[in-house]
Amino acid sequence: MRVLAVNDVSCIGKCSLSVTLPIVSACGITCDVLPTSLLSTHTGGFTGYTFRDLTEDMRGVLAHWKTLGVQFDIIYSGYLGSVEQIRLVEQLKNEFLAKGGKLIVDPVMGDSGKLYDRFDNDFVCHMRELCKLADYILPNFTEACFLSGTDYLLGSKNPANVLEKLKSINPCPIITGVHEGDEIGVYYFENEKCKKYFLPSTPGFFCGAGDVFASAFVGCLATGKDAFSAVKIATDFTTASIRRSATEVEDKRFGLNFEKELPQLIRAL
Ligand code: PXL
């Protein structure tokens, strides 16, 4: 089993590859990486961050991998810094995904109703096309609204309807990080029926929480769990990390303290 994570390196702020590597490794799975950019911090809440685009390096890496004949069973993409990088993930699917392998796209673009710095509507349109090629997509609620062309405030009144709309883009959409009262959870389809799975949480938004969920989901699938069990295990792990971080992490920009929850994740596998 080979997993490839295509995501950025944000040096501080526990997101992207900094969370995927430890989580997928804890699941007992080898995680190869294709870094998309190098940032001093993530872009959610920090200002003055550095950003180095690695598109040219990615092209060189793929050319080298071609000579090795390497194939991946799961390709998981997260933060992509440009439309060219979206195209490279399409190339990865065509040339490096093993027969029967799965492409999992977390369409990282925004949160709290807004696109992150550096993204615009053109990027959303291209990301929508990439989502059409994926086996699973893991948007948060904001990204689900942008992908489905739903007004964020209207959509918030009926997340099931937003999930339904995503069906025209991808067969297995999973909307993550939805807040309902004191709980946080996910909307997904099980046997064509809209389901939700929610657990008690704490208010507020931690950067990188979506990456923690996506990494645990990928790790679970890689160990052979079915997608519904993977959704539940990843939600248990992410909400436990959020509850712990509510008291342990003062500044939510620095991400989730998920490390001490890894033993529970491993036990659930
Ligand atoms: O966690 C999502 C994410 C990943 N990578 C970068 C980001 C963000 C969210 O802000 O800025 C660089």
Side-chain angles (χ1 to χ4, degrees):
M1 173 60 59
R2 290 189 86 90
V3 169
L4 173 66
V6 187
N7 216 333
D8 70 274
V9 177
S10 287
C11 300
I12 288 182
K14 278 201 278 187
C15 64
S16 317
L17 292 179
S18 310
V19 309
T20 300
L21 278 170
I23 293 172
V24 173
S25 296
C27 295
I29 301 292
T30 301
C31 186
D32 296 318
V33 297
L34 182 57
T36 57
S37 41
L38 174 69
L39 300 92
S40 52
T41 65
H42 60 68
T43 69
F46 292 103
T47 52
Y49 54 82
T50 67
F51 181 95
R52 182 174 298 278
D53 179 278
L54 297 177
T55 308
E56 279 321 304
D57 300 76
M58 290 171 76
R59 288 193 219 286
V61 169
L62 295 198
H64 179 220
W65 286 355
K66 201 82 190 157
T67 68
L68 304 178
V70 65
Q71 295 272 290
F72 301 98
D73 302 293
I74 294 182
I75 297 178
Y76 152 47
S77 73
Y79 185 93
L80 304 173
S82 62
V83 170
E84 290 81 66
Q85 293 190 356
I86 292 179
R87 298 230 164 86
L88 285 175
V89 175
E90 290 169 4
Q91 183 189 342
L92 276 164
K93 173 175 171 154
N94 293 334
E95 298 179 20
F96 294 93
L97 191 60
K99 205 161 173 279
K102 304 283 181 224
L103 173 64
I104 301 171
V105 172
D106 181 356
V108 176
M109 295 189 293
D111 217 312
S112 310
K114 293 196 200 81
L115 291 178
Y116 294 132
D117 259 12
R118 308 181 54 85
F119 296 129
D120 57 17
N121 279 330
D122 182 54
F123 186 86
V124 174
C125 291
H126 285 90
M127 184 58 91
R128 191 178 293 122
E129 293 309 305
L130 179 61
C131 287
K132 289 182 184 168
L133 304 176
D135 295 284
Y136 299 94
I137 57 170
L138 311 174
N140 63 29
F141 191 68
T142 297
E143 291 151 354
C145 287
F146 276 101
L147 288 172
S148 63
T150 312
D151 176 81
Y152 180 74
L153 288 179
L154 280 181
S156 308
K157 298 198 175 90
N158 193 350
N161 187 39
V162 179
L163 183 77
E164 199 63 50
K165 285 196 198 172
L166 288 178
K167 255 273 146 93
S168 66
I169 298 173
N170 181 275
C172 299
I174 300 163
I175 305 181
T176 67
V178 183
H179 289 265
E180 288 187 354
D182 294 338
E183 296 193 330
I184 189 165
V186 294
Y187 276 77
Y188 60 103
F189 284 108
E190 192 166 336
N191 304 323
E192 302 299 316
K193 283 218 173 71
C194 172
K195 292 266 160 122
K196 54 182 190 167
Y197 182 62
F198 275 71
L199 288 169
S201 180
T202 50
F205 156 72
F206 282 91
C207 280
D211 301 341
V212 168
F213 176 90
S215 304
F217 178 78
V218 166
C220 289
L221 278 193
T223 63
K225 293 280 177 203
D226 63 63
F228 314 123
S229 311
V231 163
K232 291 189 175 128
I233 294 170
T235 306
D236 292 346
F237 174 60
T238 309
T239 50
S241 302
I242 293 172
R243 286 192 296 273
R244 163 184 294 283
S245 304
T247 51
E248 290 184 1
V249 180
E250 245 177 65
D251 184 341
K252 293 186 165 60
R253 295 179 304 175
F254 286 87
L256 288 179
N257 276 2
F258 64 86
E259 296 87 344
K260 291 205 179 78
E261 297 300 329
L262 286 171
Q264 276 82 291
L265 172 64
I266 294 165
R267 271 197 285 279
L269 292 173

